[in-house]
Structures are given as structure tokens and as C-alpha cells.
Amino acid sequence: MEDSEKKIDGKYPMRIAERRFKGILMWQCEAEEFETMETRADDIWICTSPRSGTTMTIELVYLIQTLDFDTANNVQLEVRVPFLDCKDDRFPYYKGKKTIDEMKSPRMIKTHLHHFLLPEQLRKGKGRIIYMYRNPKYSVISLFKLFKWTHQLDEGENMFGRFFDSFVDGKAYACPWPQHVLGYWEKKYEPQVLFLRFEDVVKDMPAAIRRIAIFLGRTLTDKNVADIAEHCSIEKMRNNEEVNYSYWQDIGYVDFKPEESHFINKGQPGTWHETLTPEQNAKMDKLIKEVEDAGVTVVHT
């Protein structure tokens, strides 16, 4: 076990502690136990690099698998699809591996783990993986805004510049980004892996729903597809208290600020131009080239 990067902060007592395991920065969790974790053949693991449409993907998968809109509208997403790689008993849902071990099948599980950190059984095909990635120019800005809102970043001058550099240098949460994407890309032809791109899902959500349904062996009617697409539209998701993490305000993890308090962003293309400098953009292009050289297509806007 490697030492924690940050302990619980006195000024922000709800700040989640971080740790570094096998070189990867993550939340406090039981990472040493994941390698030998028992998986199940009917598991569905939703795996993403952070801020790549994770919440939307999870809700899509949940509804494609269950068609249970009533539960989706009344039960927190983190109860229905728990987050493996975060354990913090101060939070109502971050209970760690034990909760997932005790779930009834079929389980749906969220993770930001790199592929090489997944349970060995899952890596060998026992369970299904749905992976989502997006242009990292959006992810780095979105992740910064999230961490600033949740007080996960140290304050001071040039907060975004410092965070950006840590992202590019592969030291930020769940980084290096190219390694994260390529770890799953290398497994894309395996029958239990579905590799998705955020921009494609947003552009034609009904087509993405049908693709996921085929992967999961689910038969959907046109009305099913339309209902799921409507429920998972970005505007609906932003206003749905079961998926927009508004409960974080109730437990004191975040402060409410009308212009900032949105876990789910608007998903509009081209917004990175408003934040990244030409120098920062060039650095991101180098990261993108690493995955493009391996055959991954990144949507440029």
C-alpha cells in the first residue's frame, strides 16, 4: 500500500482522502483487494476515465438492462450502481467492496480504475465491461470544476494551471489519460468489452442505446429507446435529483452556488476554447496524439 496523498482536511472536513496505488492517484479505497475480487458472468462494469459521460452512461445502461423507470426516478443512482473505488463512511453510499460483494445479480458497478487494476477475473472475461471516453480537453476542464466545487483542490494562485499540469503530467486523479484509454482500447475486440465514445452517444443517443442493448442481449421496442433517450437527455439528467448528486449539498460536501453547483455539465461542444490557452491546447494535442497513434479516434471540435 502506498501512502495517502491527502488526508482529511480541517478546513473542509468532508474532503475525500486520496491515495496513490501502483502509481495511480485515486480515492481512498480497498485497491489491494480488487485484484482477487470475485466477479460474476452477468456483471456489468461501467468503466470510464473521469468526466467522460460516466453518469449518463450508467443511467443508460441501468434502463436498458431493467426498463425500471420508477426506480430510476426514485432511488439514488449510487444505490443502484455503486462506485467501487471510493470508500468513505461519512458518505451515505461510498461503502466499498463489501456492499458490492453482497449485491444480488445482475450487478452494475461503476469504476474509474485503469484496466490493469480491475479484478483479474473480470480482465479474463468473467463479466462485461462498457467503457466510455471523450476528448480530454473537456474532461480536464470538467474535472477541475468538479474538484474546485467539492474542495478537493488546494487553494492558491493559478489553481487551474496547476491542476492542468498535473493532468498532462499524468499525476492527477485516474491519470495518465492516454494509459487509461489505451488499456481498454487494447481489449476492444474481446466479446465482453464495448468501447464507446461520448461524442457519438450524445450525437445519436437512440443509436447508442440500440448498440448497448445488442451488447447486453436486450430487446427494446422503439418506444423503449425513445423513453430511455428522453430520460437520459442532458437537461433531464441535470434536473434529476437521483443522478445529479444534489445530495452532496445535504451532507455538507459542497456549497450551493447557482452558477457552479452542477455535477452534470451542459455537454456543449467547443467550450474548451474559452478556457485553454494555446500552449495548453498544444499539450493536450500531444496527449491525444498518443492514443490516435494507436488507432483511437478522438473527436476534435
Side-chain angles (χ1 to χ4, degrees):
M1 174 177 174
E2 300 178 40
D3 293 336
S4 299
E5 292 280 318
K6 291 181 183 176
K7 304 294 185 182
I8 295 173
D9 188 275
K11 183 177 180 181
Y12 300 114
M14 290 299 289
R15 175 184 277 188
I16 301 174
E18 298 172 345
R19 60 172 302 189
R20 197 171 289 277
F21 179 70
K22 295 189 176 180
I24 306 300
L25 187 64
M26 59 182 68
W27 302 132
Q28 279 289 356
C29 62
E30 306 133 308
E32 292 85 359
E33 300 179 30
F34 297 159
E35 172 77 14
T36 58
M37 183 177 177
E38 292 281 336
T39 62
R40 305 173 195 170
D42 59 357
D43 278 350
I44 304 170
W45 290 64
I46 298 94
C47 309
T48 67
S49 58
R51 311 305 288 170
S52 298
T54 310
T55 304
M56 177 187 67
T57 308
I58 294 172
E59 191 76 339
L60 283 169
V61 171
Y62 178 82
L63 288 172
I64 292 166
Q65 180 68 16
T66 68
L67 291 176
D68 188 352
F69 288 89
D70 183 61
T71 299
N73 286 319
N74 291 282
V75 178
Q76 282 286 338
L77 183 63
E78 293 196 307
V79 173
R80 297 180 274 127
V81 185
F83 184 21
L84 173 65
D85 33 309
C86 183
K87 187 178 189 301
D88 191 326
D89 291 333
R90 298 169 303 157
F91 287 73
Y93 311 119
Y94 299 152
K95 302 304 182 184
K97 175 179 172 291
K98 185 173 184 291
T99 296
I100 294 172
D101 287 339
E102 295 174 349
M103 289 175 67
K104 295 180 180 179
S105 295
R107 303 181 301 182
M108 287 171 267
I109 301 163
K110 166 189 170 181
T111 182
H112 291 313
L113 292 174
H114 285 239
H115 188 274
F116 79 94
L117 295 175
L118 294 174
E120 181 181 16
Q121 290 184 359
L122 180 63
R123 298 197 313 267
K124 291 184 175 180
K126 191 177 181 182
R128 293 161 289 178
I129 294 171
I130 296 176
Y131 184 77
M132 175 84 87
Y133 77 103
R134 75 179 302 189
N135 186 320
K137 295 178 185 180
Y138 298 96
S139 299
V140 66
I141 296 168
S142 179
L143 191 58
F144 169 76
K145 289 179 178 178
L146 175 65
F147 282 2
K148 183 180 178 183
W149 180 43
T150 56
H151 309 299
Q152 291 293 151
L153 296 177
D154 294 329
E155 297 178 352
E157 294 183 1
N158 192 28
M159 284 182 69
F160 177 70
R162 287 186 283 115
F163 179 77
F164 176 89
D165 288 342
S166 71
F167 188 97
V168 170
D169 293 341
K171 298 177 181 179
Y173 176 67
C175 288
W177 177 82
Q179 178 182 333
H180 201 295
V181 174
L182 293 176
Y184 289 89
W185 172 255
E186 290 168 359
K187 307 297 181 181
K188 66 184 181 302
Y189 292 122
E190 296 183 0
Q192 78 278 11
V193 177
L194 179 63
F195 197 83
L196 299 172
R197 186 169 57 190
F198 172 83
E199 291 84 358
D200 296 337
V201 175
V202 172
K203 182 178 180 181
D204 192 345
M205 190 171 288
I209 291 168
R210 292 187 175 94
R211 186 180 176 195
I212 296 169
I214 291 171
F215 175 72
L216 295 177
R218 304 290 295 171
T219 301
L220 302 179
T221 66
D222 289 344
K223 185 178 187 306
N224 293 153
V225 172
D227 289 346
I228 294 170
E230 180 182 5
H231 178 95
C232 294
S233 67
I234 290 175
E235 194 57 39
K236 285 285 185 69
M237 296 277 286
R238 281 167 63 87
N239 293 301
N240 182 349
E241 292 185 354
E242 307 304 336
V243 302
N244 67 8
Y245 290 78
S246 57
Y247 81 86
W248 279 355
Q249 297 171 31
D250 300 333
I251 65 173
Y253 183 40
V254 297
D255 304 317
F256 179 75
K257 299 177 182 179
E259 298 304 317
E260 299 180 19
S261 298
H262 290 289
F263 180 84
I264 299 172
N265 294 318
K266 295 181 179 180
Q268 296 176 345
T271 52
W272 66 264
H273 293 277
E274 302 167 7
T275 303
L276 300 185
T277 66
E279 181 183 4
Q280 289 171 335
N281 180 48
K283 290 180 179 179
M284 294 303 289
D285 283 340
K286 288 184 179 179
L287 285 188
I288 291 171
K289 188 175 185 302
E290 288 186 45
V291 301
E292 289 184 329
D293 285 348
V296 179
T297 303
V298 176
V299 174
H300 295 266
T301 56

